[in-house]
Amino acid sequence: MVTTDEKGPLTAKKKSVIIRSCDGDEFLVSESAAVLSTSLKKILEEKEDRLIHLSDIDNKTLAMVIAYLSTHADDGLSDDLKRSFDQEFVSGKEFDVLKYLVLATDTLQVTCLCYTVAKKMADIMKNKLVEWVRREFDIQNDYTPEAEAEIRRLDAWAWDDRQLEDD
Amino acid sequence: MAVNTGAGPSTKSTTINDLPESLVIHILSFVPTLEAVATSVLARGWRYLWLYVPTLDFDILASYQLSRAPFALTRARFSDSIARTFFLRPIIHLHSFRLAFHYADLGRRKREVRWWIRRSVDQGVTKIMLEFYDDAWMTSYRGIRLGGENNEYNFSLLNDHRTFKFSFEDIMNGSVAELRLRNCSLRFPTDISNGFDSLHTLVLHNIELSSNEHFNSMVLACANLQTLTVELIRNTGGTEIQIHSKSIKVLVLRDHVRIDFDEIVTLDIDVPSLGSLTLTNFVVNQYILVEYSSLVEVDLDFTNRYDLTLLHWNETLLSLGHVKSLRTQNMKNGTTTLPRFHFLQDLELITGFAEGDLRGIFEFLRVSPRLERLVLDYTYFKSAFVDVDPNDVYYFDSWKLSEEFKRTPVHLQMSSLKRVILNNFRNTEDELYLVELFKTQKVVLEEIIAFPPPHGKALSSSAIVLWSA
């Protein structure tokens, strides 16, 4: 167990927290960044503990979330810069990466990032053929062909005769 | 100490079905509603998910772009789909309802939009966004033909039939906290006095105001309204716009268009808890603005109509001596009297860098002893893209600083100034002269940063540090 012995008035300003991923790696995060996550904030309020173990977030995802939190906790950056950081943050990321990110932000209750990532995932889905979405998102189609045809018929009102993308 | 939701990464193949339903619903809330409905065919687990999505988003242009059908058919199907969605959706809380539509006040479709609005209010909607495309926009931007002999669209009809009249009655006693309306006109109930307590944010864009009297009473009646934005208002309904409210904290008024130039139009603002005021090219003949101690942030920009409003700009500025944050146009050649800005910490000036402009900047610095951050926005760069008359004195007067001006020693009062930011920085001699001037005066100055104009589609450019302590 790592504990902090910082008690002086000077060091108190820049308290930090250690967060351990499910892979066992530890990340040092400033408290001001950590409290942007509602879950971490609650933990820090309840206990003086400076080590938080996240048993369901892997290294790669945690590193990304922490990069996000640290950027947003930086007072020196303008809101415009933070917004463009957010755009950069989700652009070009693989769907799987986004999926773990959205899970992690949900667990950690980082509302803004959860919103940004979910929106990005929705943007990827837009205007795509059913087959494309199934393939890219790895969704197992468990309908029988008859059942699927029936649903297509029932929901035809929402379909129009769309020209969708399959690439 | 551990946080465990039990939904961690597993070794089996990853599918979106691994996500908890609540998250999939969250993702679907960013997908247009008709597409969300279509996800029911993906797999069994998706069959009824869309019904629980707390947002409804319908945009006729998005549907039309995906469709091979002619516009009139798309429109009819689109309307039916909205009605079906409302019928099928269980009565569970609706967060937002967005509709972007082409309205025509005709035949059996006459009341459909009002019906959708009421239905969303019945489902407890808290946010409504309505936008109406007009014919000219549809035709010019999308090449959509709306005319035709046997078509329900007929150009001979009065424009009035194409304007959706939003009835405030439809949201009365509901839980709508945020209402955004674009391109429509407003109808008010006969008794406005109550029923609008839920409304916190009202944003009106390109709205025809046919009765100022009712609008004024409406603003007064929204007892919990915090934010009011009125942009591009076509005023045909009277000469006095009154914004009297005890609750409004943020007020944004942009682009007021006067219909009748013979009349004297008055803007009367009486908002005692106002914290932030934006007044951009909102041109009226007379401004009544009481000085409020709560007002900390002001954006005052009349650069488009400078000639008309210089006097009003100055009058307004004189009553803002206590603000902490101000964005405004620079004055010309020190012709304006500035108040003493005792508390001003953050100033953004829309300015050029000619001699008159620099004198204006010096004067602003002189009257703002506590200024910590100064932003100089060289917006005239943008005018290089539009047709600016090269003889326009205001833009091009003494374009280059004279040697005589540069030789004259200047002592700037900037005892608290820490940061200078140059937006739309063009790296001209005149800008660099000012940078040099700041450097030599420094005092507590920490840094000077510049942002060149963004290129192409970029929204912002990266910063250049010109100097740092």
Side-chain angles (χ1 to χ4, degrees):
Chain A
M1 178 71 59
V2 178
T3 49
T4 50
D5 50 4
E6 299 168 347
K7 284 188 180 110
L10 277 170
T11 47
K13 276 186 198 165
K14 284 198 173 178
K15 270 199 237 170
S16 53
V17 184
I18 294 165
I19 302 178
R20 187 190 288 156
S21 74
C22 68
D23 306 324
D25 286 10
E26 292 180 354
F27 296 82
L28 194 68
V29 188
S30 75
E31 191 173 302
S32 61
V35 296
L36 293 178
S37 146
T38 312
S39 310
L40 294 181
K41 190 177 175 206
K42 273 183 201 150
I43 294 171
L44 291 170
E45 277 167 2
E46 281 164 16
K47 297 220 173 184
E48 277 295 295
D49 205 341
R50 297 283 124 187
L51 175 75
I52 298 171
H53 184 206
L54 300 171
S55 63
D56 52 5
I57 299 175
D58 63 288
N59 266 346
K60 200 177 148 197
T61 310
L62 187 59
M64 285 188 283
V65 175
I66 286 170
Y68 175 91
L69 293 177
S70 307
T71 307
H72 279 257
D74 189 340
D75 294 334
L77 298 175
S78 71
D79 288 350
D80 279 349
L81 279 171
K82 284 177 187 172
R83 263 192 293 275
S84 45
F85 171 84
D86 288 1
Q87 289 308 312
E88 285 289 310
F89 191 79
V90 289
S91 77
K93 282 205 166 50
E94 301 254 326
F95 191 77
D96 263 8
V97 176
L98 292 173
K99 203 185 83 174
Y100 286 124
L101 262 176
V102 84
L103 268 170
T105 53
D106 188 47
T107 307
L108 293 172
Q109 297 177 43
V110 189
T111 322
C112 295
L113 184 57
C114 188
Y115 182 97
T116 311
V117 176
K119 192 167 184 307
K120 175 69 185 176
M121 292 169 88
D123 288 344
I124 296 175
M125 284 176 79
K126 273 183 202 169
N127 299 352
K128 296 296 192 323
L129 280 174
V130 169
E131 289 71 23
W132 188 94
V133 177
R134 280 194 192 128
R135 195 171 63 233
E136 294 296 311
F137 294 10
D138 202 7
I139 296 168
Q140 206 64 45
N141 178 16
D142 50 5
Y143 284 123
T144 61
E146 296 77 30
E148 186 180 334
E150 176 67 3
I151 288 161
R152 282 187 190 249
R153 196 182 60 78
L154 284 172
D155 289 351
W157 57 272
W159 284 71
D160 288 327
D161 42 353
R162 297 182 176 186
Q163 295 167 320
L164 298 169
E165 297 161 33
D166 193 16
D167 51 33
Chain B
M1 180 72 38
V3 183
N4 196 344
T5 57
S10 56
T11 46
K12 70 174 176 134
S13 74
T14 60
T15 73
I16 193 167
N17 293 335
D18 288 350
L19 293 176
E21 270 189 10
S22 63
L23 272 180
V24 178
I25 289 170
H26 184 51
I27 294 167
L28 285 181
S29 70
F30 298 102
V31 174
T33 300
L34 296 180
E35 283 199 54
V37 176
T39 61
S40 63
V41 80
L42 286 170
R44 281 191 200 170
W46 291 73
R47 182 69 183 99
Y48 300 108
L49 278 184
W50 73 268
L51 286 167
Y52 299 93
V53 174
T55 58
L56 292 177
D57 177 0
F58 300 98
D59 187 332
I60 190 156
L61 279 184
S63 277
Y64 180 67
Q65 279 164 343
L66 291 173
S67 165
R68 296 186 191 92
F71 184 74
L73 186 60
T74 304
R75 187 186 180 283
R77 293 185 62 158
F78 180 77
S79 293
D80 291 343
S81 302
I82 297 175
R84 266 179 199 263
T85 308
F86 275 116
F87 276 128
L88 290 171
R89 200 177 178 279
I91 306 282
I92 51 166
H93 176 67
L94 183 60
H95 175 253
S96 70
F97 172 44
R98 173 178 175 261
L99 173 71
F101 195 50
H102 180 266
Y103 179 77
D105 180 8
L106 289 163
R108 67 189 176 93
R109 305 216 172 267
K110 196 169 176 174
R111 288 191 187 82
E112 61 188 9
V113 179
R114 286 192 69 180
W115 187 83
W116 302 334
I117 295 168
R118 286 198 192 143
R119 190 81 186 191
S120 71
V121 171
D122 288 346
Q123 300 198 354
V125 72
T126 47
K127 187 172 172 182
I128 296 184
M129 290 160 285
L130 303 174
E131 176 174 0
F132 296 92
Y133 301 118
D134 66 25
D135 294 351
W137 193 88
M138 297 283 274
T139 315
S140 62
Y141 285 85
R142 305 283 159 168
I144 296 168
R145 282 188 58 242
L146 301 166
E149 287 168 5
N150 300 316
N151 198 308
E152 72 174 287
Y153 301 97
N154 188 330
F155 279 116
S156 65
L157 285 165
L158 285 172
N159 224 358
D160 192 44
H161 289 277
R162 306 292 180 83
T163 308
F164 178 69
K165 295 149 196 85
F166 179 83
S167 294
F168 274 93
E169 201 180 337
D170 294 342
I171 62 158
M172 247 172 130
N173 300 317
S175 39
V176 181
E178 186 174 333
L179 177 64
R180 292 172 182 268
L181 302 172
R182 274 180 99 92
N183 312 338
C184 60
S185 68
L186 306 178
R187 290 285 176 276
F188 300 96
T190 38
D191 179 14
I192 304 179
S193 56
N194 55 50
F196 301 102
D197 289 353
S198 63
L199 213 54
H200 279 246
T201 302
L202 180 60
V203 178
L204 306 173
H205 179 95
N206 192 18
I207 293 298
E208 185 179 338
L209 204 56
S210 54
S211 166
N212 286 6
E213 200 185 315
H214 285 103
F215 175 77
N216 299 343
S217 323
M218 181 76 208
V219 172
L220 196 60
C222 296
N224 295 310
L225 194 64
Q226 308 254 319
T227 303
L228 175 65
T229 300
V230 181
E231 294 173 324
L232 205 69
I233 173 172
R234 284 168 292 143
N235 185 2
T236 57
T239 54
E240 189 170 17
I241 301 169
Q242 249 179 26
I243 296 174
H244 290 189
S245 164
K246 287 195 169 66
S247 58
I248 293 178
K249 295 192 169 60
V250 179
L251 180 61
V252 180
L253 301 171
R254 287 198 186 100
D255 301 302
H256 174 259
V257 183
R258 267 185 307 183
I259 299 298
D260 186 350
F261 279 83
D262 295 334
E263 282 181 315
I264 299 218
V265 180
T266 308
L267 171 67
D268 175 4
I269 300 176
D270 183 2
V271 186
S273 39
L274 194 64
S276 166
L277 172 70
T278 301
L279 213 54
T280 306
N281 300 320
F282 200 89
V283 181
V284 296
N285 307 74
Q286 197 183 358
Y287 296 84
I288 303 172
L289 175 68
V290 185
E291 182 168 345
Y292 297 120
S293 53
S294 61
L295 192 60
V296 291
E297 194 181 275
V298 173
D299 183 343
L300 203 63
D301 180 358
F302 285 103
T303 36
N304 282 4
R305 306 297 293 270
Y306 196 79
D307 50 331
L308 281 176
T309 50
L310 187 59
L311 191 65
H312 299 311
W313 172 73
N314 192 197
E315 272 175 14
T316 316
L317 211 56
L318 280 173
S319 62
L320 298 176
H322 55 281
V323 298
K324 280 189 185 149
S325 168
L326 176 68
R327 177 182 174 276
T328 191
Q329 67 220 37
N330 195 358
M331 57 178 169
K332 182 67 188 160
N333 251 335
T335 48
T336 312
T337 322
L338 294 176
R340 196 156 174 83
F341 291 111
H342 285 289
F343 306 106
L344 194 64
Q345 293 172 354
D346 201 332
L347 173 66
E348 180 168 347
L349 286 178
I350 303 152
T351 184
F353 287 86
E355 288 179 18
D357 299 313
L358 294 191
R359 285 200 193 97
I361 296 169
F362 300 162
E363 182 62 12
F364 266 102
L365 283 173
R366 194 182 68 79
V367 296
S368 316
R370 295 208 179 139
L371 196 67
E372 289 177 12
R373 183 171 168 273
L374 174 67
V375 181
L376 300 171
D377 189 355
Y378 202 164
T379 309
Y380 298 159
F381 180 82
K382 286 175 194 158
S383 355
F385 292 114
V386 299
D387 292 329
V388 173
D389 181 0
N391 299 317
D392 187 326
V393 177
Y394 187 65
Y395 288 104
F396 290 98
D397 180 27
S398 54
W399 188 244
K400 288 250 169 205
L401 297 176
S402 67
E403 287 306 314
E404 191 196 342
F405 182 87
K406 287 186 192 172
R407 273 199 305 273
T408 317
V410 183
H411 175 67
L412 296 180
Q413 297 195 0
M414 39 188 268
S415 53
S416 310
L417 192 66
K418 287 185 186 141
R419 191 173 277 194
V420 175
I421 295 163
L422 300 157
N423 267 345
N424 293 306
F425 179 69
R426 299 166 63 193
N427 207 10
T428 60
E429 272 177 45
D430 299 348
E431 286 166 285
L432 293 173
Y433 163 77
L434 188 66
V435 170
E436 281 304 314
L437 200 59
F438 279 134
K439 279 196 225 173
T440 53
Q441 313 260 333
K442 52 193 177 192
V443 197
V444 296
L445 194 64
E446 287 167 4
E447 61 181 352
I448 304 175
I449 307 173
F451 292 90
H455 286 286
K457 284 182 181 171
L459 290 172
S460 56
S461 55
S462 37
I464 303 169
V465 178
L466 294 176
W467 177 80
S468 108

